[in-house]
Amino acid sequence: MAPATTEAARTAAELDVADELGVQLVRFVRLINKAKSQVAKQGPDGIERAAYAILFHLIHDGPQRTSKLAEALHAEISTISRQSSSLVQHGLVERQSDPEDGRACLLAPTAEGLRVFEENRRQRNRWLADVLADWPEEDRQTLNRLLDRLNSGIETSIPQVADQGSAQSKGADA
């Protein structure tokens, strides 16, 4: 975890840049959510868009218990349970017995789940390629590099629980 810095340790110029970044990130998240809601209208009937996050984790991290998925997705176990049941009903996920504890079950993607996930990924990639079509290659590479760097910085600097209340109240003003 990166050391916490006080606001006084930052210059006015650094805080101005951070404020503009905050504004742009809020705009970005809103636009991504708008795009995702449009895509959701085209998705398979009965499957919540949020359920695809479960499928993503199962494909990338392997079979998991519901409790581990809830922790990874910062969601309630009941929510993950409901969404995963929908994925099971649609044949995208299956329940397997846990080899470490036969009383428990693991959720795992099916071949159909992998196919649907890859199709969604191809659609997302085509859309992003269209968005960036008029960007020079160097700018596209720079964007990827800088987003990776930003994500890595965020991952190592997630606020502690005590800080989240003040961060959330500040975020409400954005």
Side-chain angles (χ1 to χ4, degrees), residues 125-145:
N125 291 349
R126 285 190 295 269
W127 174 67
L128 287 172
D130 288 346
V131 168
L132 300 175
D134 62 347
W135 288 36
E137 176 64 23
E138 183 179 338
D139 287 355
R140 287 181 268 171
Q141 294 299 326
T142 299
L143 175 64
N144 281 331
R145 190 176 64 256

Side-chain angles (χ1 to χ4, degrees), residues 12-119:
E14 288 174 320
L15 293 174
D16 286 346
V17 169
D19 185 58
E20 179 58 26
L21 176 60
V23 168
Q24 292 302 326
L25 286 173
V26 167
R27 179 178 170 213
F28 177 75
V29 168
R30 286 181 181 154
L31 289 167
I32 290 297
N33 286 336
K34 182 177 180 179
K36 285 169 71 174
S37 72
Q38 294 299 316
V39 171
K41 294 175 185 172
Q42 301 165 6
D45 290 343
I47 299 175
E48 292 180 53
R49 195 74 203 154
Y52 285 103
I54 293 172
L55 193 55
F56 174 89
H57 274 278
L58 295 176
I59 288 170
H60 287 278
D61 300 330
Q64 296 177 41
R65 289 185 181 188
T66 303
S67 58
K68 187 174 177 185
L69 284 166
E71 183 180 315
L73 295 169
H74 309 289
E76 297 292 324
I77 290 177
S78 61
T79 301
I80 299 300
S81 210
R82 179 177 43 77
Q83 292 171 341
S84 61
S85 289
S86 176
L87 291 169
V88 168
Q89 289 172 351
H90 285 87
L92 305 178
V93 168
E94 65 184 0
R95 290 184 174 90
Q96 303 172 341
S97 64
D98 186 338
E100 295 177 15
D101 180 355
R103 299 168 297 168
C105 74
L106 299 176
L107 296 169
T110 62
E112 178 64 4
L114 185 57
R115 186 197 67 74
V116 167
F117 175 82
E118 288 300 328
E119 178 56 32

